[in-house]
Amino acid sequence: GRLDRLLYVPLPSPDGRAAIAEATCRTLPLGEDANVQEVVRGSACEGFSGADVAAMVKEACLCALREQMNNEAHENKESDDAEPVPPLVCRSHFVAAAACIAPSVSAADKRRYDALARRLRQSRGAVAAAAEDGGVEGVSAP
C-alpha cells in the first residue's frame, strides 16, 4: 500500500543515540569499561541515525572478534577441546567502530530535511487555521 501521510523523523539526540545503543547492546558480552552510551553521546557519533548506531555496535562486535582471533592465533593454544569463549566488547572496540562508521545522513541532507519539516509544520498550521475558519471543505480543525 501507499502511505497517505508524510512523516518527518529527526535524527536522534545524544540521549536518543544512547538509548538505541543500550537496547542494541542488551544481549552482548560487554567488558567492564564498555560505556557505549558515553561513546555515542560524543562528537564521533554526531549525526548518526538509529541504523548508524546499530551498525557501529555490530562493527564493535566484529572488532572484538578479530582481536580475539588474532590473540588466539599468536598464543598457539595446545587444546582445541576447550569451549570457545565469546569475546568481550570493550570501550576501545566501540571507539574504533565509531571512527569507521560514517553518518548515513549528510549535514546537507539534514539541513534539507529540517527545512522540509519546517515547511510541513507551517502548511499544517495553515490548513488547520483555514479549517477553523471554514475555508477548507472537508477538513475539520484538530
Coordinates of all heavy atoms in Angstrom, one line a residue, residues 1-103:
G1 N 0.8 -1.2 0.0 CA 0.0 0.0 0.0 C 0.9 1.2 0.0 O 2.1 1.2 0.1
R2 N 0.2 2.3 0.0 CA 0.9 3.6 0.0 C 0.6 4.4 1.2 O -0.5 4.3 1.7 CB 0.7 4.3 -1.3 CG -0.1 5.6 -1.2 CD -0.4 6.2 -2.6 NE -1.6 6.9 -2.6 CZ -1.8 8.1 -2.1 NH1 -0.7 8.7 -1.6 NH2 -2.9 8.7 -2.1
L3 N 1.5 5.1 1.7 CA 1.3 5.9 2.9 C 0.6 7.2 2.4 O 1.1 7.9 1.5 CB 2.6 6.3 3.6 CG 3.3 5.1 4.3 CD1 4.6 5.5 4.8 CD2 2.4 4.5 5.3
D4 N -0.4 7.7 3.1 CA -1.0 8.9 2.7 C -0.6 10.0 3.7 O -1.2 11.1 3.6 CB -2.5 8.8 2.7 CG -3.1 8.4 4.1 OD1 -2.3 8.0 4.9 OD2 -4.3 8.5 4.2
R5 N 0.4 9.8 4.5 CA 1.0 10.8 5.4 C 2.5 10.9 5.2 O 3.1 9.9 5.0 CB 0.7 10.5 6.8 CG -0.8 10.4 7.1 CD -1.0 10.7 8.6 NE -2.4 10.6 8.9 CZ -3.2 11.6 9.0 NH1 -2.8 12.8 9.0 NH2 -4.5 11.4 9.3
L6 N 2.9 12.1 5.2 CA 4.4 12.3 5.1 C 4.9 12.6 6.6 O 4.4 13.5 7.3 CB 4.7 13.6 4.3 CG 6.1 13.9 4.0 CD1 6.8 12.7 3.3 CD2 6.2 15.1 3.1
L7 N 5.8 11.7 7.0 CA 6.3 11.8 8.4 C 7.7 12.3 8.3 O 8.5 11.8 7.5 CB 6.2 10.4 9.1 CG 4.8 9.8 9.2 CD1 5.0 8.4 9.8 CD2 4.0 10.7 10.1
Y8 N 8.1 13.1 9.3 CA 9.5 13.5 9.4 C 10.0 12.9 10.7 O 9.4 13.2 11.8 CB 9.6 15.0 9.4 CG 11.0 15.5 9.8 CD1 12.1 15.3 8.9 CD2 11.3 16.1 11.0 CE1 13.3 15.7 9.2 CE2 12.6 16.5 11.3 CZ 13.6 16.3 10.4 OH 14.8 16.7 10.7
V9 N 11.0 12.1 10.7 CA 11.6 11.5 11.9 C 13.0 12.1 12.0 O 13.9 11.8 11.2 CB 11.6 10.0 11.8 CG1 12.3 9.4 13.1 CG2 10.3 9.4 11.6
P10 N 13.2 13.0 12.9 CA 14.5 13.6 13.0 C 15.6 12.6 13.5 O 15.3 11.5 14.0 CB 14.3 14.7 14.1 CG 13.2 14.2 14.9 CD 12.3 13.4 14.0
L11 N 16.9 13.0 13.3 CA 18.0 12.2 13.8 C 17.9 12.2 15.3 O 17.4 13.2 15.9 CB 19.3 12.8 13.4 CG 19.6 12.7 11.9 CD1 20.9 13.4 11.5 CD2 19.7 11.2 11.4
P12 N 18.3 11.1 16.0 CA 18.2 11.0 17.4 C 19.2 12.0 18.1 O 20.3 12.3 17.6 CB 18.5 9.6 17.8 CG 19.3 9.1 16.6 CD 18.8 9.8 15.4
S13 N 18.8 12.5 19.2 CA 19.6 13.3 20.1 C 20.7 12.5 20.7 O 20.7 11.2 20.6 CB 18.8 14.0 21.2 OG 18.3 12.9 22.1
P14 N 21.7 13.1 21.3 CA 22.7 12.2 22.0 C 22.1 11.2 23.0 O 22.5 10.1 23.0 CB 23.6 13.3 22.7 CG 23.5 14.5 21.8 CD 22.1 14.5 21.3
D15 N 21.1 11.7 23.7 CA 20.4 10.7 24.7 C 19.6 9.7 23.9 O 19.6 8.5 24.3 CB 19.5 11.5 25.6 CG 20.3 12.3 26.6 OD1 21.4 12.0 26.9 OD2 19.7 13.3 27.2
G16 N 19.1 10.0 22.8 CA 18.4 9.1 21.9 C 19.3 8.0 21.4 O 19.0 6.8 21.3
R17 N 20.5 8.5 20.9 CA 21.5 7.5 20.4 C 22.0 6.6 21.6 O 22.2 5.4 21.3 CB 22.7 8.3 19.9 CG 22.5 9.1 18.6 CD 23.7 9.6 17.9 NE 24.6 10.3 18.8 CZ 24.6 11.7 18.8 NH1 23.8 12.4 18.1 NH2 25.5 12.3 19.6
A18 N 22.1 7.1 22.8 CA 22.5 6.3 23.9 C 21.4 5.2 24.2 O 21.8 4.1 24.5 CB 22.7 7.2 25.2
A19 N 20.2 5.6 24.1 CA 19.1 4.6 24.4 C 19.1 3.5 23.3 O 18.9 2.4 23.6 CB 17.7 5.3 24.4
I20 N 19.3 4.0 22.0 CA 19.4 3.0 20.9 C 20.5 2.0 21.1 O 20.4 0.8 21.0 CB 19.5 3.7 19.6 CG1 18.2 4.5 19.3 CG2 19.8 2.7 18.5 CD1 18.3 5.5 18.2
A21 N 21.7 2.6 21.5 CA 22.9 1.7 21.7 C 22.7 0.8 22.9 O 23.0 -0.4 22.8 CB 24.1 2.6 22.0
E22 N 22.1 1.3 24.0 CA 21.8 0.4 25.1 C 20.9 -0.8 24.7 O 21.1 -1.9 25.1 CB 21.1 1.2 26.2 CG 21.0 0.4 27.5 CD 20.4 1.3 28.6 OE1 20.6 2.5 28.6 OE2 19.8 0.7 29.5
A23 N 19.8 -0.5 24.0 CA 18.9 -1.5 23.5 C 19.6 -2.5 22.6 O 19.4 -3.7 22.7 CB 17.7 -0.9 22.8
T24 N 20.5 -2.0 21.7 CA 21.2 -2.9 20.8 C 22.2 -3.7 21.5 O 22.5 -4.9 21.1 CB 21.9 -2.0 19.7 OG1 21.0 -1.1 19.1 CG2 22.5 -2.8 18.6
C25 N 22.8 -3.2 22.6 CA 23.8 -4.0 23.3 C 23.3 -4.9 24.4 O 24.1 -5.5 25.1 CB 24.8 -3.0 24.0 SG 25.8 -2.1 22.8
R26 N 22.0 -4.9 24.6 CA 21.4 -5.6 25.7 C 21.9 -7.1 25.8 O 22.1 -7.5 27.0 CB 19.9 -5.6 25.5 CG 19.1 -6.1 26.8 CD 17.6 -5.9 26.7 NE 17.3 -4.5 26.5 CZ 16.5 -4.1 25.6 NH1 15.9 -4.9 24.8 NH2 16.2 -2.8 25.5
T27 N 22.1 -7.8 24.8 CA 22.5 -9.2 24.9 C 24.0 -9.4 24.6 O 24.4 -10.6 24.5 CB 21.7 -10.0 23.9 OG1 21.9 -9.6 22.5 CG2 20.2 -9.9 24.2
L28 N 24.8 -8.4 24.5 CA 26.2 -8.6 24.1 C 27.0 -8.8 25.4 O 26.7 -8.2 26.4 CB 26.7 -7.3 23.4 CG 26.1 -7.0 22.1 CD1 26.7 -5.7 21.5 CD2 26.2 -8.1 21.1
P29 N 28.1 -9.6 25.2 CA 29.0 -9.7 26.4 C 29.9 -8.4 26.4 O 30.8 -8.3 25.6 CB 29.8 -10.9 26.0 CG 29.8 -11.0 24.5 CD 28.4 -10.4 24.1
L30 N 29.7 -7.6 27.3 CA 30.4 -6.3 27.4 C 31.5 -6.3 28.4 O 31.3 -6.9 29.5 CB 29.5 -5.1 27.7 CG 28.3 -4.9 26.7 CD1 27.4 -3.8 27.2 CD2 28.9 -4.5 25.4
G31 N 32.6 -5.7 28.1 CA 33.7 -5.6 29.1 C 33.3 -4.5 30.1 O 32.4 -3.8 30.0
E32 N 34.1 -4.5 31.2 CA 33.8 -3.6 32.3 C 33.8 -2.1 31.9 O 33.1 -1.3 32.5 CB 34.7 -3.9 33.5 CG 34.4 -5.2 34.2 CD 35.3 -5.4 35.4 OE1 35.8 -4.4 36.0 OE2 35.4 -6.6 35.8
D33 N 34.7 -1.8 31.0 CA 34.9 -0.4 30.6 C 34.0 0.0 29.4 O 34.2 1.0 28.8 CB 36.4 -0.2 30.2 CG 36.8 -0.9 28.9 OD1 36.2 -1.9 28.5 OD2 37.8 -0.4 28.3
A34 N 33.1 -0.9 29.0 CA 32.3 -0.7 27.7 C 31.2 0.3 28.0 O 30.0 -0.1 28.2 CB 31.8 -2.0 27.2
N35 N 31.5 1.6 28.1 CA 30.4 2.6 28.3 C 30.0 3.1 26.9 O 30.4 4.2 26.5 CB 31.0 3.7 29.2 CG 29.9 4.6 29.6 OD1 28.8 4.6 29.1 ND2 30.2 5.5 30.6
V36 N 29.2 2.3 26.2 CA 28.8 2.7 24.9 C 28.0 4.0 24.9 O 28.0 4.7 23.9 CB 28.0 1.5 24.2 CG1 26.7 1.2 24.9 CG2 27.9 1.8 22.7
Q37 N 27.2 4.2 25.9 CA 26.4 5.5 26.0 C 27.3 6.7 25.9 O 27.0 7.7 25.2 CB 25.6 5.5 27.3 CG 24.5 4.5 27.3 CD 24.9 3.2 27.9 OE1 26.1 3.0 28.3 NE2 24.1 2.2 27.9
E38 N 28.5 6.6 26.6 CA 29.4 7.7 26.5 C 30.0 7.9 25.1 O 30.1 9.1 24.6 CB 30.6 7.5 27.5 CG 31.7 8.5 27.5 CD 32.9 8.1 28.3 OE1 32.7 7.5 29.4 OE2 34.0 8.4 27.9
V39 N 30.3 6.8 24.4 CA 30.8 6.9 23.1 C 29.8 7.5 22.1 O 30.1 8.4 21.4 CB 31.3 5.5 22.6 CG1 31.7 5.6 21.1 CG2 32.4 5.0 23.5
V40 N 28.5 7.1 22.1 CA 27.5 7.5 21.2 C 27.1 9.0 21.5 O 26.5 9.6 20.6 CB 26.3 6.6 21.0 CG1 26.8 5.3 20.5 CG2 25.6 6.4 22.3
R41 N 27.2 9.4 22.7 CA 26.9 10.8 23.1 C 28.0 11.8 22.6 O 27.7 13.0 22.5 CB 26.7 11.0 24.6 CG 25.4 10.5 25.1 CD 25.2 10.8 26.6 NE 23.9 10.4 27.0 CZ 23.7 9.4 27.9 NH1 24.8 8.7 28.4 NH2 22.5 9.0 28.3
G42 N 29.1 11.2 22.2 CA 30.3 12.1 21.8 C 30.2 12.6 20.4 O 29.3 12.2 19.6
S43 N 31.1 13.4 20.1 CA 31.1 14.1 18.8 C 31.4 13.1 17.6 O 31.0 13.4 16.5 CB 32.2 15.2 18.7 OG 33.5 14.7 19.0
A44 N 32.0 12.0 17.9 CA 32.3 11.0 16.9 C 31.1 10.4 16.3 O 31.1 9.9 15.1 CB 33.2 9.9 17.4
C45 N 30.0 10.5 17.0 CA 28.7 9.9 16.6 C 27.7 11.0 16.3 O 26.5 10.7 16.1 CB 28.1 8.9 17.6 SG 29.2 7.5 17.9
E46 N 28.1 12.2 16.2 CA 27.2 13.3 15.9 C 26.6 13.1 14.5 O 27.3 12.7 13.5 CB 27.9 14.6 15.9 CG 27.0 15.8 15.7 CD 26.0 16.0 16.9 OE1 26.4 15.7 18.0 OE2 24.9 16.4 16.6
G47 N 25.3 13.2 14.3 CA 24.6 13.0 13.1 C 24.3 11.5 12.8 O 23.8 11.2 11.7
F48 N 24.6 10.6 13.7 CA 24.2 9.2 13.5 C 22.7 9.0 13.6 O 22.1 9.5 14.5 CB 24.9 8.3 14.5 CG 26.3 7.9 14.2 CD1 27.1 8.6 13.3 CD2 26.8 6.7 14.7 CE1 28.4 8.2 13.0 CE2 28.1 6.3 14.4 CZ 28.9 7.0 13.6
S49 N 22.2 8.2 12.7 CA 20.8 7.7 12.8 C 20.8 6.5 13.7 O 21.8 6.0 14.1 CB 20.3 7.4 11.4 OG 21.0 6.2 10.9
G50 N 19.6 6.0 13.9 CA 19.5 4.8 14.7 C 20.1 3.6 14.0 O 20.8 2.8 14.7
A51 N 20.0 3.6 12.7 CA 20.7 2.5 11.9 C 22.2 2.6 12.0 O 22.9 1.6 12.0 CB 20.2 2.5 10.5
D52 N 22.7 3.9 12.0 CA 24.1 4.1 12.1 C 24.6 3.6 13.5 O 25.7 3.0 13.5 CB 24.5 5.5 11.9 CG 24.1 6.1 10.6 OD1 24.1 5.3 9.6 OD2 23.9 7.3 10.5
V53 N 23.9 3.8 14.5 CA 24.3 3.4 15.9 C 24.3 1.8 15.9 O 25.2 1.2 16.4 CB 23.3 3.9 16.9 CG1 23.6 3.3 18.3 CG2 23.5 5.4 17.0
A54 N 23.3 1.2 15.3 CA 23.2 -0.2 15.3 C 24.4 -0.8 14.5 O 25.0 -1.8 14.8 CB 21.9 -0.7 14.7
A55 N 24.8 -0.1 13.3 CA 25.9 -0.6 12.5 C 27.2 -0.4 13.3 O 28.1 -1.3 13.2 CB 26.0 0.2 11.2
M56 N 27.3 0.6 14.1 CA 28.5 0.9 14.9 C 28.6 -0.3 16.0 O 29.7 -0.8 16.2 CB 28.4 2.2 15.6 CG 29.7 2.6 16.4 SD 29.5 3.7 17.7 CE 28.6 2.6 18.9
V57 N 27.5 -0.6 16.6 CA 27.6 -1.7 17.6 C 28.0 -3.0 16.9 O 28.9 -3.8 17.5 CB 26.2 -1.9 18.3 CG1 26.2 -3.1 19.1 CG2 25.9 -0.6 19.1
K58 N 27.5 -3.3 15.7 CA 27.9 -4.6 15.0 C 29.4 -4.5 14.7 O 30.1 -5.5 14.8 CB 27.0 -4.7 13.8 CG 25.6 -5.1 14.1 CD 24.8 -5.3 12.8 CE 23.3 -5.5 13.2 NZ 22.5 -5.6 12.0
E59 N 29.8 -3.4 14.2 CA 31.3 -3.2 13.9 C 32.1 -3.4 15.1 O 33.2 -4.0 15.1 CB 31.5 -1.9 13.3 CG 32.9 -1.7 12.8 CD 33.4 -2.6 11.8 OE1 32.6 -3.1 11.0 OE2 34.7 -2.9 11.8
A60 N 31.7 -2.9 16.3 CA 32.4 -3.1 17.5 C 32.5 -4.6 17.9 O 33.6 -5.0 18.3 CB 31.7 -2.3 18.7
C61 N 31.4 -5.3 17.7 CA 31.5 -6.8 17.9 C 32.5 -7.4 17.0 O 33.2 -8.3 17.4 CB 30.1 -7.4 17.7 SG 28.9 -6.9 18.9
L62 N 32.5 -7.0 15.7 CA 33.5 -7.6 14.8 C 34.9 -7.2 15.2 O 35.8 -8.1 15.1 CB 33.2 -7.1 13.4 CG 32.0 -7.7 12.7 CD1 31.7 -7.0 11.4 CD2 32.1 -9.2 12.6
C63 N 35.1 -6.0 15.7 CA 36.5 -5.6 16.2 C 36.9 -6.5 17.3 O 38.1 -7.0 17.4 CB 36.5 -4.2 16.7 SG 36.4 -2.9 15.4
A64 N 36.0 -6.8 18.3 CA 36.3 -7.7 19.4 C 36.6 -9.1 18.9 O 37.6 -9.7 19.4 CB 35.1 -7.7 20.4
L65 N 35.8 -9.6 18.0 CA 36.1 -10.9 17.5 C 37.4 -11.0 16.7 O 38.2 -12.0 16.9 CB 34.9 -11.3 16.5 CG 34.9 -12.7 16.0 CD1 34.9 -13.8 17.1 CD2 33.8 -12.9 15.0
R66 N 37.7 -10.0 15.9 CA 39.0 -10.0 15.2 C 40.2 -10.0 16.2 O 41.2 -10.7 16.0 CB 39.1 -8.8 14.3 CG 38.4 -8.9 13.0 CD 38.7 -7.7 12.1 NE 37.5 -7.4 11.3 CZ 36.7 -6.4 11.5 NH1 37.0 -5.5 12.4 NH2 35.6 -6.2 10.8
E67 N 40.0 -9.2 17.2 CA 41.1 -9.1 18.3 C 41.3 -10.4 18.9 O 42.4 -10.9 19.1 CB 40.7 -8.0 19.3 CG 41.8 -7.8 20.3 CD 41.3 -6.7 21.3 OE1 41.6 -5.5 21.0 OE2 40.8 -7.0 22.4
Q68 N 40.2 -11.1 19.3 CA 40.3 -12.4 20.0 C 40.9 -13.4 19.0 O 41.8 -14.2 19.5 CB 38.9 -12.9 20.4 CG 39.0 -14.2 21.2 CD 37.6 -14.7 21.6 OE1 36.6 -14.6 20.8 NE2 37.5 -15.3 22.7
M69 N 40.5 -13.4 17.8 CA 41.1 -14.4 16.8 C 42.6 -14.2 16.6 O 43.4 -15.1 16.6 CB 40.3 -14.3 15.5 CG 38.9 -14.9 15.6 SD 37.9 -14.6 14.1 CE 38.8 -15.6 12.9
N70 N 43.0 -12.9 16.6 CA 44.4 -12.6 16.4 C 45.2 -13.0 17.7 O 46.3 -13.6 17.5 CB 44.6 -11.1 16.2 CG 44.3 -10.7 14.8 OD1 44.2 -11.5 13.9 ND2 43.9 -9.4 14.6
N71 N 44.6 -12.8 18.8 CA 45.3 -13.2 20.1 C 45.4 -14.7 20.2 O 46.5 -15.2 20.5 CB 44.5 -12.7 21.3 CG 44.7 -11.2 21.5 OD1 45.6 -10.6 20.9 ND2 43.8 -10.6 22.2
E72 N 44.4 -15.4 19.8 CA 44.4 -16.9 19.8 C 45.4 -17.4 18.8 O 46.1 -18.4 19.1 CB 43.0 -17.5 19.6 CG 42.1 -17.3 20.8 CD 40.7 -17.8 20.5 OE1 40.4 -18.3 19.3 OE2 39.9 -17.7 21.4
A73 N 45.6 -16.8 17.6 CA 46.5 -17.3 16.6 C 47.9 -17.1 17.1 O 48.8 -17.9 16.8 CB 46.3 -16.5 15.3
H74 N 48.2 -16.0 17.9 CA 49.5 -15.8 18.4 C 49.9 -16.7 19.6 O 51.0 -16.9 19.9 CB 49.7 -14.3 18.7 CG 49.7 -13.4 17.5 ND1 50.4 -13.7 16.3 CD2 49.1 -12.2 17.3 CE1 50.2 -12.8 15.5 NE2 49.4 -11.9 16.0
E75 N 48.9 -17.1 20.3 CA 49.1 -17.9 21.5 C 49.3 -19.4 21.2 O 49.8 -20.1 22.1 CB 47.9 -17.7 22.5 CG 47.8 -16.4 23.1 CD 46.5 -16.2 24.0 OE1 45.8 -17.2 24.1 OE2 46.3 -15.1 24.5
N76 N 48.9 -19.8 20.0 CA 49.1 -21.3 19.7 C 48.6 -22.2 20.8 O 49.3 -22.9 21.4 CB 50.5 -21.6 19.3 CG 51.0 -20.9 18.1 OD1 50.2 -20.7 17.1 ND2 52.2 -20.6 18.0
K77 N 47.3 -22.1 21.0 CA 46.7 -22.9 22.1 C 47.0 -24.4 21.9 O 46.9 -24.9 20.8 CB 45.2 -22.7 22.2 CG 44.9 -21.3 22.6 CD 43.5 -21.2 23.1 CE 43.3 -19.9 23.8 NZ 42.1 -19.9 24.6
E78 N 47.3 -25.1 23.0 CA 47.5 -26.5 22.9 C 46.3 -27.3 22.8 O 46.3 -28.4 22.2 CB 48.3 -26.9 24.2 CG 49.7 -26.3 24.3 CD 50.4 -26.7 25.5 OE1 50.0 -27.6 26.2 OE2 51.5 -26.1 25.8
S79 N 45.2 -26.9 23.5 CA 44.0 -27.7 23.5 C 42.9 -27.0 22.7 O 42.5 -25.9 22.9 CB 43.5 -27.8 24.9 OG 42.2 -28.4 24.9
D80 N 42.4 -27.7 21.6 CA 41.3 -27.2 20.8 C 40.0 -27.7 21.4 O 39.0 -27.4 20.8 CB 41.5 -27.7 19.4 CG 42.6 -26.9 18.7 OD1 42.9 -25.8 19.1 OD2 43.2 -27.5 17.7
D81 N 40.0 -28.5 22.5 CA 38.8 -29.1 23.0 C 38.1 -28.1 24.0 O 37.0 -28.3 24.4 CB 39.2 -30.3 23.9 CG 39.7 -31.4 23.0 OD1 39.4 -31.4 21.8 OD2 40.5 -32.3 23.5
A82 N 38.8 -27.0 24.3 CA 38.2 -26.0 25.2 C 37.0 -25.4 24.6 O 36.9 -25.1 23.4 CB 39.2 -25.0 25.6
E83 N 36.0 -25.1 25.4 CA 34.8 -24.4 24.9 C 35.1 -23.0 24.5 O 35.8 -22.3 25.3 CB 33.7 -24.4 26.1 CG 32.4 -23.9 25.7 CD 31.6 -24.9 24.7 OE1 31.9 -26.1 24.8 OE2 30.8 -24.4 24.0
P84 N 34.7 -22.6 23.3 CA 35.1 -21.2 22.9 C 34.3 -20.2 23.8 O 33.2 -20.3 24.1 CB 34.6 -21.1 21.5 CG 33.6 -22.2 21.3 CD 34.0 -23.3 22.3
V85 N 35.1 -19.1 24.1 CA 34.5 -18.1 25.0 C 34.3 -16.9 24.1 O 35.1 -16.4 23.3 CB 35.5 -17.7 26.1 CG1 35.0 -16.5 26.9 CG2 35.9 -18.9 26.9
P86 N 33.0 -16.3 24.1 CA 32.8 -15.2 23.2 C 33.6 -14.0 23.7 O 33.9 -13.8 24.9 CB 31.3 -14.9 23.4 CG 30.9 -15.6 24.7 CD 31.9 -16.7 24.9
P87 N 34.1 -13.2 22.8 CA 34.9 -12.0 23.1 C 34.1 -11.0 23.9 O 32.9 -10.8 23.6 CB 35.4 -11.5 21.8 CG 34.4 -11.9 20.8 CD 33.8 -13.2 21.3
L88 N 34.7 -10.2 24.8 CA 34.1 -9.1 25.4 C 34.2 -7.9 24.6 O 35.3 -7.6 24.1 CB 34.7 -8.9 26.8 CG 34.5 -10.0 27.8 CD1 35.2 -9.6 29.1 CD2 33.0 -10.2 28.1
V89 N 33.2 -7.2 24.4 CA 33.2 -5.9 23.6 C 33.5 -4.8 24.6 O 32.8 -4.6 25.5 CB 31.9 -5.7 22.9 CG1 32.0 -4.5 22.0 CG2 31.4 -6.9 22.1
C90 N 34.6 -4.1 24.3 CA 35.1 -3.1 25.3 C 35.0 -1.7 24.6 O 34.7 -1.6 23.5 CB 36.6 -3.4 25.6 SG 36.8 -5.0 26.4
R91 N 35.3 -0.7 25.4 CA 35.2 0.7 25.0 C 36.1 0.9 23.8 O 35.7 1.6 22.8 CB 35.6 1.6 26.1 CG 35.5 3.1 25.8 CD 35.9 4.0 26.9 NE 35.5 5.3 26.7 CZ 36.0 6.2 25.9 NH1 37.0 5.8 25.1 NH2 35.6 7.4 25.7
S92 N 37.3 0.3 23.8 CA 38.2 0.5 22.6 C 37.5 0.0 21.3 O 37.8 0.6 20.2 CB 39.5 -0.1 22.9 OG 39.3 -1.5 23.0
H93 N 36.7 -1.0 21.4 CA 36.1 -1.5 20.2 C 35.0 -0.6 19.7 O 34.8 -0.4 18.5 CB 35.5 -2.9 20.5 CG 36.5 -3.9 20.9 ND1 36.3 -4.6 22.1 CD2 37.7 -4.3 20.4 CE1 37.3 -5.4 22.3 NE2 38.2 -5.2 21.3
F94 N 34.3 0.0 20.7 CA 33.2 1.0 20.3 C 33.9 2.2 19.7 O 33.4 2.8 18.7 CB 32.3 1.3 21.5 CG 31.4 0.2 21.9 CD1 31.6 -0.4 23.1 CD2 30.4 -0.2 21.0 CE1 30.7 -1.4 23.4 CE2 29.5 -1.2 21.4 CZ 29.7 -1.8 22.6
V95 N 35.0 2.7 20.3 CA 35.7 3.9 19.7 C 36.2 3.6 18.3 O 36.0 4.4 17.4 CB 36.8 4.3 20.7 CG1 37.7 5.4 20.1 CG2 36.2 4.8 22.0
A96 N 36.8 2.5 18.1 CA 37.3 2.1 16.8 C 36.1 2.0 15.8 O 36.2 2.4 14.6 CB 38.1 0.8 16.8
A97 N 35.0 1.4 16.2 CA 33.9 1.3 15.3 C 33.3 2.6 15.0 O 32.9 2.9 13.8 CB 32.8 0.4 16.0
A98 N 33.2 3.5 15.9 CA 32.6 4.8 15.7 C 33.5 5.6 14.7 O 33.0 6.4 13.8 CB 32.5 5.6 17.0
A99 N 34.8 5.3 14.7 CA 35.7 6.0 13.8 C 35.6 5.5 12.3 O 35.8 6.3 11.4 CB 37.1 5.8 14.2
C100 N 35.1 4.3 12.1 CA 35.0 3.8 10.8 C 33.6 3.8 10.2 O 33.4 3.4 9.0 CB 35.6 2.4 10.7 SG 34.7 1.1 11.5
I101 N 32.6 4.1 11.0 CA 31.2 4.2 10.5 C 30.9 5.7 10.2 O 31.1 6.6 11.1 CB 30.2 3.7 11.6 CG1 30.4 2.2 11.8 CG2 28.8 3.9 11.1 CD1 30.1 1.3 10.7
A102 N 30.5 6.0 9.0 CA 30.1 7.4 8.7 C 28.6 7.6 8.8 O 27.8 6.6 8.5 CB 30.5 7.7 7.2
P103 N 28.2 8.8 9.2 CA 26.7 9.0 9.3 C 26.1 8.8 7.9 O 26.6 9.2 6.9 CB 26.6 10.5 9.7 CG 27.9 10.8 10.3 CD 28.9 9.9 9.6

